Amino acid sequence: MVKEIDFSKVPTPCYLLDERLLIKNLSTLRGLTERTGCRILLAQKSFAMFYEYPLIKKYLHGTTASGLFEAKLGYEEMGGEVHIFSPAYLDHEFDEILQICDHIVFNSFAQWRRFKDRVKQGPRPISCGLRVNPEYSEQEHGIYDPAAPGSRLGVTLANFEPELLEGIEGLHFHTLCEQNSDVLARTLKVFDEKFGTFMKGMKWLNLGGGHHITRPDYDLATLEKFLHFAREKYGVQVYLEPGEAVVLNCGYLVARVLDFVHNGLDIAILDTSAACHMPDVLEMPYRPQIIGSGLPGDFPYTYRLGGPTCLAGDIIGDYSFPQPLKAGDPLVFCDMAHYTMVKNNTFNGIKLPSIGVFNDRDGLKIIKEFGYYDFKNRLS
Ligand SMILES: *Cc1c(COP(=O)(O)O)cnc(C)c1O
């Protein structure tokens, strides 16, 4: 039986993952693997709620990491393939990376030169790759654009040193952000023009993340066409490493109204903070959806929603509701699984939201709660 979540029963603030929606996304990704042979990794940078890794492992091939700690988490909690990319590896971390990673992607030929002998002499076979920068992107968010002028991420064609490719088994590019497959198609064309000749003799091509595969309007057919194209043209294993798409629309942040202030407009103070618990709302910036709310004026009662910190700009946005809000009312923010738990902080000593899951068998389960010591332990 499909159960409805009773959000009024959720202790707040709480990130709540709906496992039924996660399985739906994972099934879409699994179908893609079955039809195209591509392998899909979870980019842990976006979502690292490892309680769900045993479930995710049934559908995906493994994890990718932005550094040693994420790699360890993927290795310990999911298993499968462990891939890593870092703009620059640390000498003292590299031995541990060699023990747990299956693919290591280097950001420059200098990094490759620096570490390649250690890979060769390492304890196990590792497939090494290079991140390239096709210097092509179609996105408007400057801080999320690794192909922007002056980017430090990936080797540009001008810096490419084909004579150093011996031992390199794959190329990697990551330039998309929340984009559809038409953008991938155009990026792949540029990649092919610039770097296609270097794919000769390689074993894999990694197309990075930023593919919004599980969004309702995503054009899967075009993605599949280009996954086949890449596989056949270069004769390689193709990888995708989405983060956001794995948990898109699978989670909520449940919060409560604490109090009200009036200063030219009605302001509600919540027990959740944009700055601490959903930093992308300020950084990106974007306006999260709240169940049962509308734009200012859509419904009779409009409020500005703010957090419990002393940051003046800790504002989530202006929302309207059909009924006046009351202290204690729950508010349910949608699509809060990605780039939230992994990015939150204890600024102002604000408590971190609990982490909960919901499924039809067990209903609501709170799997982790945080307290004063999570704040204190990060300081000294
Ligand atoms: C951020 C990132 C990803 C995941 O991106 P999403 O937008 O969450 O899909 C994958 N690979 C690399 C190298 C990244 O930096």
Side-chain angles (χ1 to χ4, degrees):
M1 199 189 78
V2 179
K3 288 190 194 160
E4 286 241 348
I5 304 177
D6 182 354
F7 288 108
S8 71
K9 297 262 162 59
V10 181
T12 60
C14 180
Y15 299 115
L16 181 61
L17 187 96
D18 188 330
E19 273 180 4
R20 304 164 301 183
L21 300 173
L22 174 60
I23 289 170
K24 194 165 155 253
N25 282 357
L26 290 169
S27 304
T28 301
L29 297 170
R30 183 78 222 172
L32 196 57
T33 292
E34 281 160 8
R35 291 189 301 276
T36 66
C38 75
R39 294 189 185 169
I40 304 182
L41 311 166
L42 168 69
Q44 296 174 96
K45 177 184 79 183
S46 154
F47 179 77
M49 181 180 168
F50 53 88
Y51 178 88
E52 298 295 352
Y53 283 13
L55 172 67
I56 296 173
K57 188 184 178 174
K58 294 183 189 158
Y59 296 82
L60 306 187
H61 276 86
T63 56
T64 189
S66 319
L68 174 63
F69 291 177
E70 282 185 357
K72 276 177 91 156
L73 188 66
Y75 177 81
E76 289 174 3
E77 300 292 335
M78 190 175 322
E81 293 186 29
V82 177
H83 293 216
I84 189 169
F85 162 78
S86 173
Y89 292 102
L90 295 167
D91 279 326
H92 67 271
E93 287 187 353
F94 206 73
D95 282 340
E96 211 176 342
I97 288 171
L98 289 173
Q99 282 169 25
I100 60 174
C101 293
D102 301 296
H103 281 211
I104 301 180
V105 177
F106 293 95
N107 190 46
S108 65
F109 280 95
Q111 282 276 296
W112 169 232
R113 237 185 270 129
R114 185 181 182 108
F115 289 106
K116 70 184 196 189
D117 288 338
R118 286 174 75 180
V119 176
K120 262 188 222 145
Q121 291 150 17
R124 37 198 284 287
I126 290 170
S127 192
C128 290
L130 274 174
R131 177 167 175 169
V132 296
N133 176 358
E135 297 174 270
Y136 178 85
S137 73
E138 300 184 18
Q139 42 170 314
E140 286 129 42
H141 301 292
I143 72 162
Y144 297 117
D145 185 359
S151 169
R152 72 190 183 292
L153 300 168
V155 186
T156 58
L157 186 58
N159 287 325
F160 208 83
E161 301 177 60
E163 65 281 8
L164 293 179
L165 281 178
E166 204 212 313
I168 292 289
E169 298 188 340
L171 295 184
H172 173 293
F173 70 83
H174 168 76
T175 56
L176 273 59
C177 179
E178 300 187 337
Q179 279 163 317
N180 213 318
S181 46
D182 57 327
V183 182
L184 174 68
R186 292 189 284 274
T187 308
L188 201 52
K189 186 164 174 283
V190 176
F191 168 83
D192 185 54
E193 285 160 12
K194 292 186 172 168
F195 299 100
T197 57
F198 306 127
M199 286 301 296
K200 216 167 152 242
M202 298 259 175
K203 294 186 175 160
W204 51 265
L205 174 65
N206 188 322
L207 304 176
H211 317 274
H212 238 190
I213 299 167
T214 50
R215 198 171 74 196
D217 70 339
Y218 189 85
D219 176 4
L220 267 176
T222 297
L223 174 63
E224 289 178 24
K225 187 174 133 194
F226 284 91
L227 291 175
H228 283 297
F229 164 84
R231 185 166 100 157
E232 273 145 37
K233 170 138 197 192
Y234 309 129
V236 293
Q237 173 66 55
V238 179
Y239 285 92
L240 297 174
E241 45 182 35
E244 186 160 329
V246 178
V247 290
L248 191 64
N249 288 314
C250 291
Y252 307 96
L253 174 55
V254 190
R256 276 194 166 70
V257 177
L258 295 177
D259 210 347
F260 300 91
V261 171
H262 187 90
N263 183 3
L265 75 172
D266 288 319
I267 302 161
I269 298 170
L270 311 184
D271 64 0
T272 192
S273 155
C276 301
H277 304 157
M278 40 184 133
D280 276 357
V281 165
L282 303 181
E283 197 175 288
M284 192 111 172
Y286 79 101
R287 175 191 159 90
Q289 293 231 29
I290 299 176
I291 294 177
S293 78
L295 291 169
D298 279 359
F299 295 114
Y301 303 97
T302 293
Y303 298 86
R304 175 159 298 171
L305 304 180
T309 68
C310 61
L311 174 72
D314 190 1
I315 300 296
I316 300 156
D318 294 356
Y319 295 78
S320 69
F321 298 87
Q323 306 291 334
L325 291 179
K326 302 182 305 299
D329 281 352
L331 292 179
V332 183
F333 293 88
C334 297
D335 199 19
M336 283 287 167
H338 54 86
Y339 295 105
T340 50
M341 288 173 248
V342 290
K343 281 187 100 167
N344 62 16
N345 61 73
T346 56
F347 175 57
N348 267 226
I350 301 294
K351 191 168 92 105
L352 294 170
S354 311
I355 298 176
V357 294
F358 191 94
N359 63 36
D360 286 329
R361 203 191 60 206
D362 304 322
L364 171 69
K365 202 155 72 172
I366 301 298
I367 58 168
K368 192 128 176 190
E369 288 176 278
F370 301 93
Y372 166 63
Y373 286 101
D374 296 293
F375 164 62
K376 187 175 178 185
N377 280 339
R378 298 177 57 219
L379 301 165
S380 72

